[in-house]
Structure formats: C-alpha cells, structure tokens
Amino acid sequence: MKDGVNGVALGVFIFFFLAVTVIGFLAARWRKAESAESAATLDEWGLGGRSFGTWVTWFLLGGDLYTAYTFVAVPAAIYAAGAAGFFAVPYTILVYPLIFTFLPRLWSVSHKHGYVTTSDFVRGRFGSKGLSLAVAITGILATMPYIALQLVGIQAVLDVMGVGGESSNWFVKDLPLLIAFAVLAAYTYSSGLRAPALIAFVKDGLIYLVIAVAIIYIPIKLGGFDAIFSAAQHKFAGPPGGKPTGALVPGEKSQWTYATLALGSALALFMYPHSITATLSSRSRNVIRRNTTILPLYSLMLGLLALLGFMAIAAGVKVTNGQLAIPQLFEDMFPDWFAGVAFAAIGIGALVPAAIMSIAAANLFTRNIYKDFIKPDATPSQEAKVSKLVSLVVKVGALVFVLTMDKTVAINFQLLGGIWILQTFPALVGGLFTRWFHRWALLAGWAVGMVYGTLAAYGVASPTQKHFGGSSKEIPGIGEIGYIGLTAFVLNVVVTVVLTFVLRAVKAPDGVDETSPEDYTADAGDPGVATELPPATAGAAH
C-alpha cells in the first residue's frame, strides 16, 4: 500500500466524479415533460416518463444490476474463499430466461393501469392493501442494505487512495463519503430517474474499459494465468498440516450451498424494487424482451471481473478488510492515472444503483404507504414531492447503516436483503400468471418465509460476528448446507399452497381483481394504456 494520498489517482477520480455530477443535474432537462403539470408526477420523476428505449434501458438496467457490489464484493469473496464466490456468475445466467417469461407481462399490466411499483400490481391483482403493504415494507427493508453496500464501495476506493481513512476524527475520516452522499442526494432529488439513466452510460463505459485492460495487463505483469492460479491454489491449501482456507473448485460438501445460493439469488434479483423501477421506465413491451436477450453481455463481464480476486492473491495484496482487495490491486498494479480511472468506475458504479434504489424505495413508500394509508386523495404533484423527500431519508438511513455497522460483512448485508425480497416472489410472479393463490394465504406464506429467514440468518455466526454472519445454514429435512433464502422461499410456497386449498374449501372471500387477461399482453399505443390516463387515478380503485 502506498503511503499518503495518491494525488494523481485522486485527481482523475475527482474529474470523473464532477463530470457525472454535472450530467446528473443536466439530466433534469433531458426528455423533459411537455408541461409543468405532467412534469410534477411520479411517472416523470420516478420512472423517467416511461420513455426509455432499448439502449437507454440496457445501460440503466446494467448500471442498476452490476454495481459496486459487483466490482468490490464478488472478487473480494473469491479473494477470501476461492471459487465459491463465483455463484454470482451462474445466477446472472439463470435470471435472464426467467425474467423473459414474466417481465413483459408485468410491464404490460403496469402500463395499462399506471402501476409504479410491484405493490401497486399486487394490490390491484388481489384487491388486498395488506398484502400490498407487506410487499412494500419488504422492498424497502431489502433495499436499505443494498444502498449501504454501494456506499461501502465508494468508501473502499477512498480509503485506498488515502483520503480520510487514517484519521482518528470520525468527521474527517468520513467527510469524503458525506460529500459524495450529498451530491448524490442533490441530483437525484432534482432529476429523478433521468440522472442515473444518463450517468449509466459513463459508468458502464468505464467498467468495460477497466475490465478489458485489467484482464490483459495484470496477468502479463504477474506472469500469466498459470502463475495466478498456482498462487491462489497455494494460498487456499493453507499451511502444511493446517486447514484449507478456500478452494479453486468448490468441494462436494459445498455444492448444495453453491447451487442453492445461485438459484435463490436468480429468483430474487428482479424482485428488488430498483430492478422493477428500471424495467417500468421503458417505453414498450418489446424493449423489455430485447433487453433480456442482450443483458447477458454483462455476465461475460462479471466472469472476467471475478478473476480479479485470484489476481489479488497472486499480486500479494494484503488487506485486513476484504472489500479493499480489488481497489488495492488496482493501486498496486496500474499506473496512478489509470488507477484513478478504475476507482472512478467503482465510485460511479455505486452512484448509479444507489440513486435508482433510493427512488424505488421512495416510490414504494409514496404509493403503497402514504397514498394507501395516510393520504388517499394525494394529488400527482404531492406524490412526487413526498417521493423526493423520502428518497433523501432512505439515503440518510443507508449512510447511517454504513457509518455505524461493520463494513467487513457488507456482502452479508446484501444477502440478508436477498432472503427478504425473495419472499415476495409468490405474490408478484404467481399473480402475473394465476389468481388461484388466495390473498390471505400469500400473506401467511410471506410472514412464515420472513420470520424463518430472519431467525435462521440471525443464528449464523462467523469469525467476525455472532449474528448475521452468513446466509447459509442446514436445510431442515435434508441435512445439507444451503441458502437460507431458498429454504424460506420453499416454506413460503408450501404454506401458501396449503392455505389456499383450505381457504378455497371454506369459500373465504377473494379481493376484487381490477385487471383483465388482455392487460398482460397490452403494448404501448394500445387503447387505454396508462399513458393516456390521468396519473392521479392510477391504482385508486382500492
């Protein structure tokens, strides 16, 4: 590690940070609504006017899904434990055929009825504000640690550049992160979803550039991939006669963990509010279909990125916090100016998803808590104003989360959110294809999954913490170690199915379904889509 502040890298980082800040504020004028009245709505601020085409949506979804978590935590997991960290690669492969089946249906029904969130759809489909509230609260809870993880990514590169990390004064130490947070909050408040949509072009361009250079340049400096894998194998083998610290290939005992974590993560990814927000911002059903076919390009990038964990081992990177491994690798191996480019890629890779996530969480609060339970007669402009304010509160919450919690377990914060958000799958995806599930059964299944998943995760210890130390535990009845979220999901589905049979048998009352079969295949321009309806009336039937 270099002593002091890396001035050249910091200068390059600040240049790109200022550039995207300017872009973020200018985005308010990009594709601006035709009238001031329509501009002051949640559709405009929170969904970019539902106007994005194929490439804007592709960059937005890529910027949304491939985050600072991707750049920092995935290679860090491989640096610490070996190939088990590659679970992120197969799950991003599994997810695209999955979303091809249901995202176009969600887009269609959402545009038909003016739904802004998944909870809007659940309320309209099942006629249940209680179930809608459960989905909204889960989305907000799951999003908070995910935003925090993005701030951890920014803090990691600042620490490696020597900015604030060594100071004993908490304010001085965290001041750069506070500044980054303030700028993010300001342009998100001003420009809404348009800001991350524009910045995503810069973010993804930098990430592709850095990975292309890293995958060629660093192995050349380290003597090739043979030397890299040999160094990793030597480290994971542990001292002679000692316990292995990891593996280049997951052992037989860890295969259930690997497989269930990959499958559970794939099922959860597009349950997150930010994924759906980016999806609903697109202008047509075909934009969604095209994106599911070209988004796998990011999976190729992710596979190459994951190899950086092995390179950090071969380069002799030594850090006490695994989240610093890849930023430190860049500082050690790259010229200072290009290290600054790499740090900027990570930093901007945190700003884009953090902005989208805070908008998505704010939309959930506004539409499914504030409008449904506090002020049912809220006007479109009041909705937009509340959502803007709540997006600030969400960011503050994530910032407090980062500044007060142990940052070495950042990946486990996100995995805990995955456990929670996966429990909304039966209501959302099930509701897109069938209305057989009873609303009360779905709510009970959700509650069982949430309680089991949280308690099981609470009981997992690690060398650094007594609780919430991981996301894998023995699967009841099987005896293998598996992903807690998937086990909770199975319990959720079982309870939902059994209770649905019981409730149907006793003829428990259904809620009113405001959707019709043709709504799920409607496209932009079809008669009656929400773009032709007053936003204030969208979803107001319940």
Side-chain angles (χ1 to χ4, degrees), residues 445-457:
W446 167 85
V448 169
M450 290 288 286
V451 170
Y452 171 82
T454 304
L455 292 178

Side-chain angles (χ1 to χ4, degrees), residues 277-450:
T277 295
T279 300
L280 297 185
S281 69
S282 57
R283 68 180 173 220
S284 76
R285 178 183 173 93
N286 282 333
V287 167
I288 303 303
R289 290 175 172 270
R290 284 193 291 268
N291 265 273
T292 60
T293 63
I294 59 179
L295 276 169
L297 286 172
Y298 282 98
S299 298
L300 174 62
M301 175 200 74
L302 182 58
L304 299 176
L305 174 64
L307 293 174
L308 295 177
F310 293 137
M311 295 181 197
I313 295 171
V317 171
K318 303 291 183 185
V319 291
T320 55
N321 179 354
Q323 311 301 325
L324 301 178
I326 302 312
Q328 190 60 54
L329 173 69
F330 291 157
E331 170 138 312
D332 292 347
M333 302 301 296
F334 286 146
D336 287 347
W337 70 270
F338 196 77
V341 174
F343 294 151
I346 298 175
I348 299 170
L351 294 176
V352 170
I356 304 170
M357 291 169 190
S358 65
I359 290 169
N363 289 347
L364 279 170
F365 175 86
T366 301
R367 289 298 292 260
N368 309 115
I369 298 177
Y370 176 75
K371 186 174 176 66
D372 277 353
F373 296 95
I374 300 173
K375 191 174 177 58
D377 60 344
T379 65
S381 63
Q382 287 174 331
E383 284 184 9
K385 189 177 296 184
V386 169
S387 200
K388 287 181 177 183
L389 292 173
V390 173
S391 75
L392 298 179
V393 174
V394 168
K395 293 187 192 73
V396 171
L399 185 65
V400 172
F401 197 73
V402 169
L403 298 181
T404 59
M405 302 292 283
D406 185 354
K407 302 170 191 61
T408 61
V409 291
I411 193 171
N412 288 327
F413 292 154
Q414 187 271 333
L415 292 175
L416 182 60
I419 293 172
W420 293 332
I421 202 65
L422 184 52
Q423 308 318 309
T424 65
F425 190 101
L428 176 59
V429 179
L432 287 169
F433 293 95
T434 178
R435 213 170 165 269
W436 178 78
F437 295 120
H438 196 280
R439 54 180 175 159
W440 296 346
L442 285 165
L443 190 57
W446 167 85
V448 169
M450 290 288 286

Side-chain angles (χ1 to χ4, degrees), residues 191-217:
S191 304
L193 194 66
R194 288 176 171 84
L198 268 184
I199 295 172
F201 285 88
V202 179
K203 173 253 186 189
D204 288 351
L206 287 176
I207 286 181
Y208 273 108
L209 173 64
V210 170
I211 292 176
V213 172
I215 208 69
I216 297 171
Y217 179 77

Side-chain angles (χ1 to χ4, degrees), residues 19 65 70 143 231 256 428 438 459 477 489:
L65 304 177
T70 312
T143 300
W256 271 84
L428 176 59
H438 196 280
F489 171 72

